Amino acid sequence: MPRRKFLFGLAVLCLLLASCSGSQKGERKTSIRIGVSLYRADDTFINNLRSIFEEKAKEYERRNGIKVILDIQDAKGSQNMQNSQVERFISLGCDVLCINPVDRMDASAIIDKAMTAGVPVVFFNRQPVEEDMNRWDQLYYIGVDAKETAILQGKMVVDLYKEQPAAVDLNGDGVVGYVLLEGETSHQDSLIRTEWSIRTLKNGGVPIEKITGGIANWERSQGSALMEQWLSAYPGKIELVVSNNDDMALGAIDALERTKTDGVNVIGIDGTTSGLEALENGKLLGTVSANKELYATVILEMAVSCALGEPPPEEYPLEDGTYYWTPQEILIRENTEAEEMPAQSR
Ligand code: GAL
C-alpha cells in the first residue's frame, strides 16, 4: 500500500475511534454508546423494564451532562439474530452491551465477541450459566432471586389461609385444588419458581392438591388457552391458579371471564403494569413485584460505569463482584374476604 494512502487510513481510523468514545485521550467521555438486545421486545415484563431503563438513561444524561446513546434491538426469540446484533454493536463502537439473552445456556458466542473486542457485558433477566459468567471479569448479571420470589408467592397464600381458610379453600372440603402455569422450560425462573412456590404452600400448611399444569411460555394467550381447557376438563375443581408470571395469570383470568367462572384465586409474579391493574380491580389475588425502578437503574448505572472505565457503583453491592439481586415484595389484593364460589361452578 502506498505510504500516503496508509497514513490517510490511519488518520481516519484515529478520528473514528475518538468520535466513538466521545473523548480525547485521558479525559472523561462526554458521550457513551450502549447496545441493548432484548430476547423479545413484546414480552410484557421486559417491555416494562425497557421503558424505565430509557427514562433512567435520560435522567442520567440530564444529571451528569454525559450523552447516553441507546441502541435497543429486538432479538425476536432468535439467538442467531442476537449474535448478529452484538457484532453490529461492536462494529459501531458501543462502549458496553446490555444483553437479555435469548438462550441463557448459549451466551458463549456473545461473550467471545465481547471479550475479543474488550467490550464489557451487563446481562439481565435471563441468567447465563456460571461457567460462562466466570470467563471474564467484565461480565455482570442483574436479576431477581427466583427462589426468593417463589417463597414470597407461596407465603402470600399461606398467610391468607391462616387468617381466612375459606378465602383459599373455596368449597370448604379441606383440600385446595390448584393448577400451575409455567414459563419457558429453559428459563431458570420457571423451574425454581414452581418448585419453591409449591414447597412453601405445602410447608405452610395449605392442603393443596395439584389438578393439572402446563407450560405457557410466559404468554397471556397460551395461559388463557390452557386455562380454558382445564376449566372444561375439571369443572368446579379449580380453586387456585399458581402462575409463574403475571401475563399467564392474566390469561387464566381471561379464560375465567370468558367462561363466567367466579371466585377462583389467581396469583402471579412480576407486578407488570397490566398485572397491577388486575390487582387493583380485584381480578388478581396477588403478585410478587421486583423493584423495577431499581432493577433498571442498576442495569444503567452498571453499564455507564463500565463504559466510563470506572469501578461498579458502590451503592449497588455485587455478589461475587458479578451479580446484583433486585429486592422484591408481595402485593396482595386489599379486600381478600372469602368469596363464595357459585354453586354451578363447584
Ligand atoms: C421472567 C418474568 C417473565 C418474563 C421472563 C422473560 O423473569 O417473570 O414474565 O418476562 O422473565 O425472560
Side-chain angles (χ1 to χ4, degrees), residues 331-342:
L331 300 177
I332 188 156
R333 186 168 72 205
E334 258 172 35
N335 176 13
T336 47
E337 290 297 294
E339 262 191 68
E340 264 293 298
M341 213 178 177

Side-chain angles (χ1 to χ4, degrees), residues 146-155 192-193 196-197 200 269:
K147 182 174 163 188
E148 183 187 275
T149 314
I151 292 176
L152 290 173
Q153 189 186 39
K155 187 180 177 308
I192 303 175
R193 285 179 185 176
W196 284 94
S197 188
T200 309
I269 286 171

Side-chain angles (χ1 to χ4, degrees), residues 84-320:
S84 311
Q85 289 168 351
V86 166
E87 265 170 31
R88 187 182 144 271
F89 289 151
I90 291 174
S91 72
L92 286 173
C94 284
D95 300 289
V96 61
L97 309 178
C98 292
I99 306 293
N100 174 218
V102 174
D103 183 350
R104 67 178 204 98
M105 322 257 201
D106 195 12
S108 53
I110 295 174
I111 295 173
D112 286 341
K113 293 181 211 301
M115 280 175 80
T116 310
V119 180
V121 188
V122 178
F123 290 103
F124 62 98
N125 170 259
R126 302 163 73 87
Q127 187 181 348
V129 293
E130 213 182 324
E131 204 186 320
D132 278 336
M133 289 302 292
N134 289 340
R135 286 180 57 200
W136 193 28
D137 63 0
Q138 291 297 299
L139 305 174
Y140 300 95
Y141 178 73
I142 319 296
V144 180
D145 181 330
K147 182 174 163 188
E148 183 187 275
T149 314
I151 292 176
L152 290 173
Q153 189 186 39
K155 187 180 177 308
M156 91 179 118
V157 178
V158 169
D159 290 349
L160 179 61
Y161 184 75
K162 280 186 185 148
E163 276 172 32
Q164 306 171 52
V168 180
D169 179 9
L170 303 174
N171 56 15
D173 65 351
V175 174
V176 179
Y178 79 94
V179 293
L180 190 68
L181 284 167
E182 295 189 79
E184 292 162 280
T185 40
S186 57
H187 199 302
Q188 79 278 356
D189 287 347
S190 309
L191 302 172
I192 303 175
R193 285 179 185 176
T194 297
E195 181 187 342
W196 284 94
S197 188
I198 300 308
R199 256 200 219 200
T200 309
L201 285 165
K202 282 190 180 148
N203 294 345
V206 183
I208 49 167
E209 195 173 276
K210 184 172 176 182
I211 297 172
T212 187
I215 292 158
N217 296 305
W218 311 121
E219 285 186 33
R220 183 167 181 158
S221 57
Q222 293 188 33
S224 170
L226 281 180
M227 186 67 185
E228 192 162 338
Q229 283 170 28
W230 298 339
L231 283 166
S232 86
Y234 309 98
K237 291 256 175 345
I238 304 170
E239 289 162 280
L240 174 67
V241 180
V242 179
S243 173
N244 281 174
N245 80 341
D246 283 354
D247 253 17
M248 298 185 295
L250 292 172
I253 292 170
D254 293 340
L256 288 166
E257 286 182 343
R258 268 200 311 278
T259 55
K260 302 198 173 19
T261 313
D262 291 328
V264 175
N265 285 319
V266 183
I267 52 172
I269 286 171
D270 281 343
T272 56
T273 314
S274 40
L276 295 182
E277 230 169 74
L279 190 70
E280 229 161 78
N281 58 32
K283 294 178 178 174
L284 189 68
L285 172 67
T287 187
V288 180
S289 178
N291 182 335
K292 284 172 280 302
E293 287 282 315
L294 192 56
Y295 199 151
T297 302
V298 180
I299 301 173
L300 182 83
E301 295 275 344
M302 282 298 303
V304 169
S305 53
C306 286
L308 295 174
E310 292 170 357
E314 273 172 18
E315 57 270 52
Y316 310 118
L318 298 178
E319 187 185 291
D320 297 334

Side-chain angles (χ1 to χ4, degrees), residues 43-60:
D43 177 293
T44 309
F45 177 68
I46 296 298
N47 198 28
N48 281 187
L49 209 55
R50 173 203 182 140
S51 312
I52 307 173
F53 181 78
E54 286 174 317
E55 270 167 35
K56 296 287 164 194
K58 284 196 197 109
E59 239 174 77
Y60 182 91

